[in-house]
Amino acid sequence: MPFVKLNNIYKTYKMGDVSIKALKNVEMEIEAGSFVSIVGPSGSGKSTVLNLIGCLDQPTSGSILIENQQVQDLNKKQRADFRGQNLGFVFQNFNLIPVLSVYENVEYPLLMIKNEDSKNHRERILSLLDAVGVIDQKDKRPHQISGGQMQRVAVARALVTQPKIVIADEPTANLDHDTAFKIIDLMKRMKDQEKTTFVFSTHDPKIIGEAEIIYTLEDGTIQNREDRRDNV
Amino acid sequence: MFKIAKIAYRNLLRYTRRTLLTSSLVIIGIVTVLVFIAVAGSFKQLMVGQITDSMLGHLQVHRKGYVASIENSPLNLNLPAKQVAKLETVLAEDKSIESYSLRLKFGGMLSNFTETSNIRLNGINPEQELKTVPLLAQRITGIDPESPETPSLEIGEIWLPEALAKGLKIKVGAQVVLVATNKDGSVNGIPLAVSGVIGSMTGPGGRDGYLNIKDAYQLLRIKAGEVNEVAIRLNDFEQMNLSSIQLTQTLSEFKNKKDKPVFEVHTWQKLSPFSNIAKIIDLLTLFVKIILIAIVLVSIMNVMLMAVYERIREIGTIAAMGTSPRKIWSLFLMEGLFLGIFGAVSGSLISLGIIQYLNWQQIVFSFGKQDALVLSPTIAMSEVIITAVIVIVISALASLQPAVKASRLEPVDALGHF
C-alpha cells in the first residue's frame, strides 16, 4: 500500500473566463520513507502537485490518499489540522517568521500547532538545530543569518513535529550551488535520521540526481517515473 | 494564549514607528476627551454649584401657575399662609430635604433720595436662606469688604445688587427708600439701611436685592406667613430628580377648590437657562467621545489592514504549517487590542498628568456677570476607566475585520502572493 497515492488527479484554475488545466490525469504513488523529487520546467505543474499532497489545495477531480486517509474533501479546518499533525513544509523563500529567533521559529509548530509545553521539547529543538548545523545561531533573528542557514532552520522547523511527509517546493531555488547541495544533503540525512518521507520539487538538473525517485512533469502530466534507489 | 500574545507583541515592535504613530493618534484622542471632560465637567459643576447654592436652591415650590408668570413676580399668585403651613409640614417630614427657605418675591422702586430705579426683591428669613443657599454669603460684601462675617439682614436692612448700588452710587450703610405696589394696587414705602452689596450672577435672581421678609410683609401690607416661593436644599443633589418626583407626588394631594393641584415643584434645571448650556456641554462631550471612537476605529483598522496585506505570505506560511484559522484570527485581534491597550493606558496617564497640571496652574475665567471664577478640573476615575474601556473595545472591533480577513486567507493563495 503506497503511503501517498494520487489517483486520476485533474486540477483546473479559472483566470477570469479562461480555464487553465494545470494537471491532467496525474497518477502518483509515494512509499513511506522515500526521497522523491518532482522535476519539470516552470509551469509544468510541480507546485500544484506539491500543494495537493500538502493539503494546501484541493483537486478539481480525482482522489488523494495519504496514509489511508482521503484528504481531497477535507474542509479548511480539517486540512489545517491534518497538515499540523502529518506534514512539514520547506519553502523556496524560507518563510521564517521574522519576529521570532531561530530557536523560536523551530519551536513555533510545537507551541502553536501541537500545543506542547515549551519545557518538554527544548532538548529536541536543540538537537535538531545541532543536526542542521545552526545551533550557534539559535538566538539570532532570521535577518541576521544567511540564506543557507535560513533554509537549514526551515528544514529543522519542518521536522520538529516529526511529520510523516516533508514537502519542499523548490527548496534550493534561492541558494547558490554549493549551499543547494548542502541543503539537499541535509534533507537526505534528516530523512534517514527521522524516518520521514521527503517530496521536493526542483528544476535544477544538478540536484535532481540526488533523489531516489524522480517524477518528471510536463504540461500537467507525468511524463516519466525514474526509480534510482539502486543508483543513489 | 500567552504564546499568541507574545508573537502579537513582537509583531507590533517590528514596525515600531507605525505602532507609535497609531498609538499616538489614540493617545491624542484619549487626552482630548479626558481633558475636555475634566474641564467642561468642572465648569458645569462649578456653575451649577453657584446657581443652586447661591440663588435657586435645588428645588423650588410655587403656587400652580406662578413660574409661567415669574418675570412679573405676581403677588396674586402667592401661597396663602394656610397652604404654606401645610407645605412646611410636608417639607419638615421629608428626609431627603436638608433645609428650605420661604421667599416673597416682588418688584419695587428704590430711591437714594436723588435718583430712583426699579428693583426685584426677595423677602427672606436670612437664617433659612443662608442654610438653603449657603454660597449666597460669599456674594455679599458688608461695610468691611475683608470681613468674613456675613452682613446682617435685620428688620430695616437691605442687601442691594451690586450693579444697582454702583449705578445709584449707594454704599453700604447708606439709607434708601423702597416703594412697592401691593396686590390691591395701593403704594407703600419704607426706609431701609443698606447692610450689604450682593455680587451679580448670571441667571434668574442673579441681580435681585434681599430684605427681611418681615419688612416685605410690612411694605406690601401682607399677612405674615404668605410667600410665593419656597427654595429647597436636598441632602443628596444626585437624587434631585427622584426627590422632585416624590415631592410632586406628595404635594399633588393638596387640591384647590377647582380640584387642581395647589403646588408646583421645579428642579433648578427648569428655572435656569444654564441648564441648556449644561445640556450643550453634555452633547459636546458625547460628540468628542464619538470623534475619539472614529479616530481609534479608523487608525487601528487602517494599520491592521496594512499589517494583513504586508504579511500575506507570512500568514500563508503559518497557515500551511497547520495553524488554525482561529489562532491566526486571535493573533491579529490581539495586535489591535495591544495597540488599543497601550494607547488607552498611556493616554489615560498623560490626561491625568495634564489635569493635575491644570489644577496646579489654576484656570481663572469670567462667565456672564461673574469674574475670577477658578476652575479646578477633576475627573472621576470611573470616567477614565470607561473611556479606556471604550477605546480598548473599539480597538478590538476595529481589528475584527482585518483578523477575519487574515484567518480566511487560503494558504495556497497567500503563499503565492508577491
Side-chain angles (χ1 to χ4, degrees), chain B residues 381-395:
Chain B
M381 206 32 87
S382 60
E383 195 71 61
V384 177
I385 291 166
I386 287 169
T387 308
V389 168
I390 288 174
V391 166
I392 292 166
V393 169
I394 295 297
S395 303

Side-chain angles (χ1 to χ4, degrees), chain A:
Chain A
M1 188 78 177
F3 187 63
V4 177
K5 186 172 175 12
L6 271 63
N7 187 29
N8 195 22
I9 293 291
Y10 282 81
K11 178 69 187 176
T12 305
Y13 292 110
K14 286 249 176 195
M15 305 271 281
D17 293 335
V18 184
S19 292
I20 298 164
K21 288 184 176 170
L23 295 179
K24 289 168 269 185
N25 190 26
V26 169
E27 302 275 348
M28 193 180 276
E29 289 187 0
I30 298 170
E31 289 163 31
S34 55
F35 197 64
V36 180
S37 170
I38 299 171
V39 300
S42 292
S44 58
K46 302 186 296 291
S47 296
T48 308
V49 169
L50 288 183
N51 287 342
L52 293 175
I53 297 172
C55 299
L56 295 172
D57 206 355
Q58 288 167 301
T60 308
S61 67
S63 64
I64 303 167
L65 198 73
I66 301 176
E67 208 192 21
N68 300 323
Q69 188 175 346
Q70 298 278 356
V71 296
Q72 74 276 4
D73 296 325
L74 297 179
N75 64 28
K76 193 178 176 182
K77 167 104 179 40
Q78 288 168 331
R79 278 187 286 136
D81 289 344
F82 187 84
R83 286 194 302 271
Q85 297 306 318
N86 299 288
L87 306 175
F89 290 88
V90 178
F91 302 98
Q92 181 180 331
N93 294 308
F94 328 125
N95 292 16
L96 299 181
I97 299 169
V99 294
L100 302 180
S101 69
V102 163
Y103 180 92
E104 288 166 335
N105 261 286
V106 179
E107 188 185 28
Y108 180 91
L110 295 176
L111 292 177
M112 299 292 283
I113 297 152
K114 293 273 187 179
N115 294 315
E116 282 185 14
D117 189 16
S118 57
K119 285 172 200 159
N120 301 337
H121 53 239
R122 188 171 169 79
E123 284 307 311
R124 171 157 177 78
I125 294 167
L126 291 176
S127 90
L128 262 174
L129 288 175
D130 192 27
V132 300
V134 288
I135 185 81
D136 52 338
Q137 312 291 324
K138 70 179 172 62
D139 296 322
K140 289 186 178 167
R141 293 278 174 94
H143 68 273
Q144 295 171 309
I145 58 177
S146 69
Q149 286 171 323
M150 279 200 256
Q151 200 60 303
R152 283 166 182 271
V153 177
V155 171
R157 180 179 66 181
L159 291 167
V160 75
T161 54
Q162 295 175 299
K164 296 184 175 84
I165 316 171
V166 172
I167 313 279
D169 190 5
E170 307 250 13
T172 58
N174 284 341
L175 302 173
D176 61 69
H177 195 70
D178 282 350
T179 315
F181 262 108
K182 282 178 187 165
I183 290 295
I184 293 297
D185 186 51
L186 169 73
M187 282 165 52
K188 270 171 93 173
R189 250 192 316 119
M190 298 313 292
K191 181 211 79 157
D192 294 334
Q193 197 175 309
E194 301 287 325
K195 310 280 180 235
T196 304
T197 306
F198 268 80
V199 183
F200 69 98
S201 67
T202 183
H203 56 250
D204 184 348
K206 287 172 192 157
I207 62 163
I208 292 167
E210 300 297 314
E212 293 170 352
I213 294 164
I214 304 166
Y215 280 95
T216 307
L217 269 172
E218 250 176 62
D219 293 330
T221 54
I222 292 176
Q223 298 294 317
N224 187 35
R225 180 183 186 275
E226 186 183 352
D227 191 337
R228 294 168 50 91
R229 271 176 287 194
D230 294 336
N231 305 338
V232 179

Side-chain angles (χ1 to χ4, degrees), chain B residues 39-61:
Chain B
V39 173
S42 305
F43 167 72
K44 192 176 111 179
Q45 214 172 3
L46 176 77
M47 293 311 296
V48 172
Q50 291 276 324
I51 288 165
T52 56
D53 292 357
S54 78
M55 283 193 313
L56 297 181
H58 299 156
L59 300 176
Q60 288 190 357
V61 181

